Amino acid sequence: MIIAAAQFLPVPGDIEANAARMAALLTEAAARGAGLVVFSELALTHYDLDLIAADPSGMTVTEDDDRLAPIREACRATGVAAVVNAAAVNAAAVSAAAVSATGRAATDGVRPTISSFVLGPDGALITRYDKVQLFGGEGEGEGERALFAPGTADGRFTLGGIRFALATCYDNSFPEVPARAAADGCRVYLASSFHDAAQRVAQYGQLAREHGLQVLLANGTGTGRSGSGCGLSGAWLPSGERVAAAAEWSVTVPGDGAELVLSDVRDRITLMGDPAVAAIPVQDCGEPLLDVRTAAPGLLVAANCQDAQGAFAWLRAGVLQRLLTAQEALPDGLRLQIVEGYRPPALQRRYFEGYADELRASYPDWEAGRIHRAASRYVSPPEIAPHSAGGAVDLTLVTAEGEEVDMGTPIDASPEESNGACYTGAPDLTPAARAHRRVLNSALHAAGLVNYPTEWWHWSYGDRYWALATGADHALYGPREPAER
């Protein structure tokens, strides 16, 4: 997945204009292959505490605020997620009854929060994080602590098989914040900030190195009554190396100085072979394996994957129902085509060991653990394989006449032979392939399936990887032998 930090100069106090600008930057980032865009601290209003204090009701938003509609619509249109930081109505202190039909709420003395709303590729809220560490003193007129209420919980979410941590500006001055993120299994650390000096920005390299996190910083720009933002948004590898940076902000910068800083986080994906996947308990719900060809004749099944039993066309009933829902959501002229569903455990083992043997031959100096991890990018380890549970399906899009469309690679293209284009969020795709993947992703995500991000064609429901990605307590489907159908 490519992630991006969007740096631009907001119009002070003009939420509608800034939301429209964010929507345009989301569209631009999508065209460059990004799957997630992060904006700076208080980007929706500009970082101007006096302005917010003068009109706390007008300058604060709720997660379903009408003024955020352009951003939600851009997420849906592009299939890109967004982290939007804003002054927000204090959800913990304001009752739902206080919220008006427009989505706004009267604060009536309740302090707002500095919040990051994470909007998913479908425009819906994934999570909300309220800044915990507020800058300034306790007294009136002494910074954030005089105006805002602190949050109480860490910010976490999973997208594209990657666990992300959220933090806002002064949060990052406390080493325990990234330390908890790393301990929680987060791979990428997203910071929305408003720093005034290059020295403060440089500290993110040390944060990345000390905690083994890939870091993306969206830093504010411009001068307001509450301070100046220096820009220099950037990306750092877990080694501490800075791999991308935006320009330092200056009053001489024309327009709003908009820039996108892009970083590739594909190697931060949680792979099938990760211990976190194997640790998910299974409580099999007992759903049967159904033959798609007879149980759902409206779904197209490819003829190029066959076995004597026809097991390739079996799926759990819950998966099958969700595929029917997804097909109904597709645009006119497109259909799902199922290539492979259930895979007997013995066949799964043969696939995994065969690919591992190929890697050993190509990379004789790799140790066993590295071979296992690399193999699990492409073939699930037999002991946790979603296909062997009947919860996974390999599929693609075709026309109404059954003709293939451009998806970027064939199904089952390996990372080596496709140069990484098999990854769902691969950056170097044709516009047509990117658009088709966006359509497929939107329909299947909305139906409740999750994607394995190293393979654009692999989707599942009810298996261990689904449970990890969605936060479910346990998997619904465990491995089955063909005789147990």
Side-chain angles (χ1 to χ4, degrees), residues 118 199 209 300 311 422:
V118 183
Q199 294 92 323
R209 183 173 59 255
L300 184 63
C422 60

Side-chain angles (χ1 to χ4, degrees), residues 57-111:
S57 180
M59 292 294 103
T60 56
V61 297
T62 59
E63 61 193 54
D64 57 352
D65 198 295
D66 288 347
R67 293 170 291 178
L68 298 183
I71 302 173
R72 289 192 291 266
E73 291 167 5
C75 290
R76 285 192 290 268
T78 62
V80 174
V83 179
V84 180
N85 194 278
V89 172
N90 191 330
V94 179
S95 69
V99 181
S100 71
T102 64
R104 304 186 190 184
T107 56
D108 294 331
V110 176
R111 292 183 180 184

Side-chain angles (χ1 to χ4, degrees), residues 20-66:
R21 190 69 180 101
M22 290 178 178
L25 287 166
L26 281 166
T27 302
E28 180 183 341
R32 296 175 63 181
L36 171 69
V37 180
V38 182
F39 294 94
S40 64
E41 185 177 23
L42 295 178
L44 200 62
T45 56
H46 188 47
Y47 188 93
D48 191 323
L49 304 188
D50 291 344
L51 185 152
I52 296 169
D55 184 13
S57 180
M59 292 294 103
T60 56
V61 297
T62 59
E63 61 193 54
D64 57 352
D65 198 295
D66 288 347

Side-chain angles (χ1 to χ4, degrees), residues 104-345:
R104 304 186 190 184
T107 56
D108 294 331
V110 176
R111 292 183 180 184
T113 53
I114 299 177
S115 301
S116 287
F117 296 115
V118 183
L119 305 178
D122 59 356
L125 185 75
I126 294 177
T127 193
R128 165 181 172 161
Y129 168 68
D130 299 334
K131 184 177 181 180
V132 174
Q133 302 293 343
L134 300 176
F135 187 75
E138 294 282 4
E140 183 178 355
E142 294 186 24
E144 295 171 1
R145 296 179 70 179
L147 178 58
F148 296 102
T152 58
D154 292 325
R156 307 281 187 266
F157 70 99
T158 300
L159 182 71
I162 300 171
R163 187 159 168 80
F164 292 90
L166 296 164
T168 306
C169 206
Y170 194 46
D171 286 333
N172 303 301
S173 298
F174 296 80
E176 61 268 25
V177 174
R180 285 198 303 269
D184 284 349
C186 296
R187 308 293 181 91
V188 183
Y189 189 87
L190 307 175
S192 297
S193 300
F194 193 81
H195 294 306
D196 61 358
Q199 294 92 323
R200 292 182 180 274
V201 172
Q203 294 173 359
Y204 286 88
Q206 181 180 352
L207 183 155
R209 183 173 59 255
E210 290 183 353
H211 301 284
L213 294 163
Q214 191 156 339
V215 174
L216 183 74
L217 165 68
N219 194 42
T221 64
T223 300
R225 286 170 288 185
S226 305
S228 297
C230 67
L232 294 171
S233 300
W236 292 261
L237 298 178
S239 63
E241 177 189 0
R242 187 167 186 166
V243 291
E248 186 169 10
W249 183 80
S250 163
V251 293
T252 62
V253 173
D256 65 2
E259 280 193 73
L260 292 170
V261 173
L262 282 76
S263 181
D264 192 338
V265 293
R266 279 179 291 181
D267 62 353
R268 303 285 95 195
I269 290 170
T270 300
L271 298 174
M272 285 289 183
D274 194 291
V277 180
I280 297 291
V282 176
Q283 296 179 21
D284 199 300
C285 66
E287 277 183 11
L289 285 165
L290 303 178
D291 192 319
V292 176
R293 296 166 296 184
T294 55
L299 291 173
L300 184 63
V301 178
N304 59 334
C305 185
Q306 297 284 348
D307 62 87
Q309 291 177 293
F312 79 99
W314 300 350
L315 286 170
R316 296 277 192 149
V319 180
L320 186 55
Q321 184 57 51
R322 284 163 176 79
L323 292 179
L324 289 168
T325 299
Q327 178 150 283
E328 291 176 1
L330 291 176
D332 291 342
L334 290 175
R335 297 181 64 187
L336 298 176
Q337 183 181 64
I338 295 170
V339 175
E340 185 178 16
Y342 174 72
R343 190 180 295 157

Side-chain angles (χ1 to χ4, degrees), residues 345-346 348-350 352-353 372 379-386 388 479:
Q348 182 70 32
R349 188 172 298 107
R350 189 162 76 243
F352 185 83
E353 292 174 354
H372 189 274
V379 184
S380 299
E383 61 274 12
I384 56 92
S388 296

